[in-house]
Amino acid sequence: MEKYDLVIHGGVVVNSDKTVAMNIAISNGIIRELLHPEVLLPPSDRSIDAAGRMIFPGGVDPHCHVGQRLGTYAGLDDYQSASTAALFGGTTTIVDFAIPQPDENPVAVLRDRQALAANARSSVAFHGCIVEPESPVSKLVAQMVELGVRTVKLFTTYRGEVMASKQTILDVMRSLKQYGGMPYVHAEANHFVEDSQHKMRELSKLDAASMPQTRPAIAELAAVSETIDLARYADSPVYFVHQTTGEAVDLVSAARDHGVAAHSEVCPHYLSLTDEKYSDVHPERFVCCPPLRDSATVEELNARAVIGKIDTIGSDHCCFSTGQKAESAHDVTQMPNGLPGVETRLPVAFTTLVVDHGMSINDFVGAFSTAPARLNGLENKGHIGVGFDADLVILDDSSTRTATSEALHMATDYTPYEGRNFHGWPEVVICHGKVVIEGDEFIDPGPVGSTLQAQAIHVTSRSHS
Ligand SMILES: [Zn+2]
């Protein structure tokens, strides 16, 4: 009988398609066998008793900004700290963005960030980003594909910084299509955003408390609608990051009914926090783009997620401190946007969707791991099966823990969820076949060495059904 590195026994394996009691045998970082619980356990160097526990495929966070630069601000984490926090939160793969500053070459930025990411402790993949390129789009996309990247972020807002023209969006869609790639679109129509900001500036209300009025939901709807038309015209798949309203998700679903391979990502904060935070003592700590929505909208978004209308859960992690957030809190157009969340994606989304709203655990795993892997062309990730990478999360879904920034590992001094109680915290996390988290302990596996290479993306049907 073959001797394995690690055997996990007694647990219940939860995949996006089914839940089944199985023992898992691992060697050299790969799942080698799934064994019926009654089959005699094979010999192994180490075994873990997972009785009474659920085992999820390691999380794949499709939306992560490591050390994000925004204007004069820089996010406080690096690949080592962000990926360590990710592992504590049951995420074994992060997909980061290589976003160029004005005048930077997007391919050079991507290459630089890939080199830095070799120091990560989890797996890392990348999205490129194209703004207003000097070289032809087709050439840039070909160079990104050479570097193992087939997803490109496009912004419909932030004019003069990262906003891409409609022609550029079309060009990127057509170029990516040749390689089985897909654009990742931040959809907020810039004219609505700028007009709203202008109106609020006239009223001297550009402070953090006025955040919702500076970026209304109609801006998101307008850009989703227009981008779907571009995708249909270019016969391209499209992925919408951080959708915040039921109506926006409905536009994507309707597009799918018309044959457009459109995809919806939601983020834990848009499912579990409301715009009441902007009336609180520290509204600036909740400034993100799009802003948090009102409670009725949040409920509509949860309702869509629970009936299988969303594809993925992304953190949109940005690691700024309370000091950085406070500095320009009087003017949201100058503030560093975004919330820290790579570590809390699993407990916050699991509690909100599964515990509070009744989503099936299989659909949850689909949105947390399986679909983000598939929609990034990461073929060996996001599923517990023979031949897949041995990335696993063992958890006790009945136990709860309170979120405190003190106990978290992200390189900032706050969490938007301070004091809230959540289910779904990992007990043991395995990455590349190595136990990296056991309770509160981090067993450093050392630098990952290289980044993942994305394969052509299969976009034919809804990812987790
Ligand atoms: Zn983002």
Side-chain angles (χ1 to χ4, degrees), residues 379-400:
E379 292 186 336
N380 302 320
K381 302 289 187 187
H383 182 75
I384 301 176
V386 173
F388 279 77
D389 288 356
D391 297 340
L392 304 164
V393 184
I394 303 176
L395 59 92
D396 174 359
D397 65 313
S398 64
S399 75
T400 64

Side-chain angles (χ1 to χ4, degrees), residues 63 65 97 153 186 242 316 318:
H63 191 158
H65 298 278
F97 293 85
K153 180 84 172 270
H186 175 129
H242 52 51
D316 199 2
C318 285

Side-chain angles (χ1 to χ4, degrees), residues 313-327:
I313 301 162
S315 69
D316 199 2
H317 169 80
C318 285
C319 204
F320 297 107
S321 67
T322 55
Q324 288 175 309
K325 296 292 259 186
E327 213 172 83

Side-chain angles (χ1 to χ4, degrees), residues 244-379:
T244 69
T245 75
E247 262 188 279
V249 171
D250 288 346
L251 285 176
V252 171
S253 286
R256 292 187 71 87
D257 292 342
H258 290 105
V260 182
H263 304 87
S264 290
E265 174 192 274
V266 292
C267 306
H269 43 290
Y270 299 117
L271 295 166
S272 64
L273 297 169
T274 72
D275 62 0
E276 282 166 34
K277 291 291 179 192
Y278 299 119
S279 316
D280 238 327
V281 260
H282 286 294
E284 75 280 3
R285 294 183 190 175
F286 299 89
V287 167
C288 49
C289 297
L292 302 175
R293 305 298 190 194
D294 62 46
S295 57
T297 305
V298 170
E299 276 312 304
E300 281 167 21
L301 189 64
N302 273 286
R304 300 307 190 284
V306 166
I307 57 172
K309 288 204 167 192
I310 60 114
D311 292 276
T312 65
I313 301 162
S315 69
D316 199 2
H317 169 80
C318 285
C319 204
F320 297 107
S321 67
T322 55
Q324 288 175 309
K325 296 292 259 186
E327 213 172 83
S328 305
H330 59 283
D331 183 352
V332 291
T333 65
Q334 302 300 317
M335 274 191 66
N337 305 315
L339 309 182
V342 72
E343 188 174 358
T344 46
R345 187 175 67 112
L346 171 52
V348 174
F350 182 84
T351 304
T352 307
L353 291 171
V354 178
V355 179
D356 297 344
H357 289 90
M359 183 186 234
S360 82
I361 47 171
N362 306 100
D363 282 353
F364 179 80
V365 163
F368 177 70
S369 305
T370 318
R374 194 174 62 77
L375 296 175
N376 280 288
L378 306 176
E379 292 186 336

